[in-house]
Amino acid sequence: MDLATSLSAVTAALALVKELKQIDAQFDKAELKLKIAGLTEALSDAKLGLVEIAQEMAEKDAEIRRLSELLAYKASNLVEQGAFRYFANEAGEASGVPICPVCEKKGLFLKLAQDRSKGAGAVTYVCPSCKANYGYSGIIAKP
Ligand SMILES: [Zn+2]
């Protein structure tokens, strides 16, 4: 249930309260009971909707917190150079091998590793996690 549905349930409940005020309780007991049943249902719907909305808001807050921490981490630890991002050295400059751009999108900051399995003349840089191959050279950070 979304916010608009919850609000319309509350609006329906308020309309029923208005109708209840106009009923002559002495003479229209059946109608009174019917309106109270309708009021109870409308309020239950509204409550259910609000509980769901509160849960969604808590999940969104948690996601905002996670993304804020991720942005803060990137801002203080990573430096862009060319097509890659690198861990910053003490001077704040790009250093060493880049991190895997594919895994970075998943929130993982993994430095590429050398794959020496094809011999000394065919060393390539690969991601230790997703195994993406970034080729032979030219990816080490330039001073
Ligand atoms: Zn990767």
Side-chain angles (χ1 to χ4, degrees):
M1 191 182 283
D2 61 7
L3 186 58
T5 313
S6 299
L7 285 173
S8 67
V10 170
T11 304
L14 288 172
L16 284 165
V17 168
K18 196 175 175 186
E19 288 174 32
L20 278 171
K21 285 181 183 167
Q22 293 161 354
I23 292 174
D24 187 332
Q26 291 291 58
F27 299 104
D28 297 322
K29 278 197 173 164
E31 195 182 346
L32 188 66
K33 280 187 178 173
L34 199 67
K35 295 287 181 197
I36 287 174
L39 181 61
T40 305
E41 193 186 328
L43 287 173
S44 296
D45 285 351
K47 185 184 173 184
L48 274 178
L50 290 173
V51 166
E52 277 179 35
I53 289 163
Q55 194 177 343
E56 282 172 21
M57 286 178 72
E59 286 167 10
K60 286 189 166 118
D61 283 349
E63 181 67 359
I64 288 168
R65 231 181 350 265
R66 189 187 71 79
L67 292 172
S68 297
E69 286 168 11
L70 200 60
L71 280 176
Y73 180 85
K74 283 185 183 185
S76 56
N77 293 288
L78 301 178
V79 179
E80 247 176 74
Q81 189 182 86
F84 290 103
R85 246 189 277 272
Y86 299 79
F87 279 103
N89 61 17
E90 284 168 14
E93 298 157 339
S95 67
V97 291
I99 60 170
C100 175
V102 176
C103 290
E104 188 191 349
K105 289 189 178 106
K106 295 181 259 174
L108 296 170
F109 305 104
L110 300 169
K111 277 187 178 182
L112 300 182
Q114 287 186 333
D115 177 5
R116 297 169 180 268
S117 63
K118 291 177 185 74
V123 174
T124 57
Y125 288 92
V126 296
C127 172
S129 175
C130 72
K131 308 298 177 200
N133 190 328
Y134 293 94
Y136 294 100
S137 62
I139 61 170
I140 302 293
K142 290 156 193 70

